[in-house]
Amino acid sequence: MPQVTSLGHIGLYCYNYPKMLDFYTRVLGFTVTDRMPDREACFLSARPAEEHHEILLTAGRTAAEDVRLVQQISMHVASLEDLKAFHKLFQEEGVKEERIITHGNTASIYFRDPENNYLEVYYSIPVDFPQPFGQPIDLDQEDGAILQQIADIRAASGKV
């Protein structure tokens, strides 16, 4: 039987394409890899050397603002240092962080983009841990202290 090997990309319709493009490039660091010359639309990649596009942004969202279209979009970061840098940047940019948690195998920040899509940036911790699970963590510490905090939370969970 054929099997999907990975997620290729997602496409998001936008109410305010320029604002969303600014957020995804300037705040989240995606690179524009191509634009559509006949409309407000572009392809974005966090890894342009490996993947041409992971997100397509395009004007034309017509659903009411309270309509739920996307449950969440989650994005990896390479290190706790990067996650903490996003934490700082979100504070500077006024991005509301809704949850800062561990799933036992991650350190995660959940937040919203300018059009209220629910997003997550997370650092993966190479441990197997049963889901669902989520406990608050403090990112305003040194990396070792954050990892110890997460290990302590795992140990106290009774799921280990």
Side-chain angles (χ1 to χ4, degrees):
M1 175 174 157
Q3 181 178 340
V4 171
T5 59
S6 70
L7 176 64
H9 66 272
I10 60 161
L12 294 175
Y13 281 112
C14 307
Y15 295 118
N16 186 331
Y17 171 80
K19 187 174 185 177
M20 291 284 279
L21 178 58
D22 176 67
F23 181 80
Y24 279 82
T25 56
R26 188 178 56 80
V27 177
L28 295 180
F30 281 87
T31 299
V32 174
T33 55
D34 270 314
R35 293 180 187 268
M36 294 184 191
D38 57 336
R39 63 181 177 165
E40 286 186 310
C42 68
F43 295 102
L44 303 170
S45 181
R47 308 169 297 125
E50 294 88 32
E51 191 70 44
H52 178 268
H53 61 278
E54 295 156 299
I55 295 179
L56 163 71
L57 294 180
T58 185
R61 185 170 177 178
T62 58
E65 288 191 30
D66 63 345
V67 172
R68 294 181 180 189
L69 300 174
V70 176
Q71 191 275 329
Q72 78 181 48
I73 302 168
S74 300
M75 298 159 278
H76 290 274
V77 297
S79 66
L80 279 174
E81 182 179 319
D82 288 341
L83 189 70
K84 292 188 313 187
F86 270 119
H87 179 54
K88 181 179 181 205
L89 179 61
F90 292 162
Q91 291 171 343
E92 292 168 357
E93 292 286 332
V95 174
K96 182 179 181 283
E97 296 172 318
E98 295 196 358
R99 297 189 306 158
I100 300 172
I101 66 169
T102 181
H103 292 292
N105 58 1
T106 69
S108 301
I109 302 171
Y110 287 87
F111 60 102
R112 300 227 178 232
D113 73 13
E115 295 193 356
N116 209 32
N117 294 301
Y118 196 47
L119 308 177
E120 173 192 18
V121 287
Y122 69 98
Y123 171 67
S124 289
I125 300 166
V127 299
D128 188 27
F129 197 75
Q131 300 299 311
F133 183 80
Q135 290 294 317
I137 58 171
D138 178 9
L139 292 180
D140 295 321
Q141 306 178 69
E142 296 297 321
D143 291 0
I146 294 170
L147 292 173
Q148 185 60 57
Q149 173 188 202
I150 293 170
D152 293 345
I153 289 169
R154 277 196 309 269
S157 72
K159 290 190 167 202
V160 182

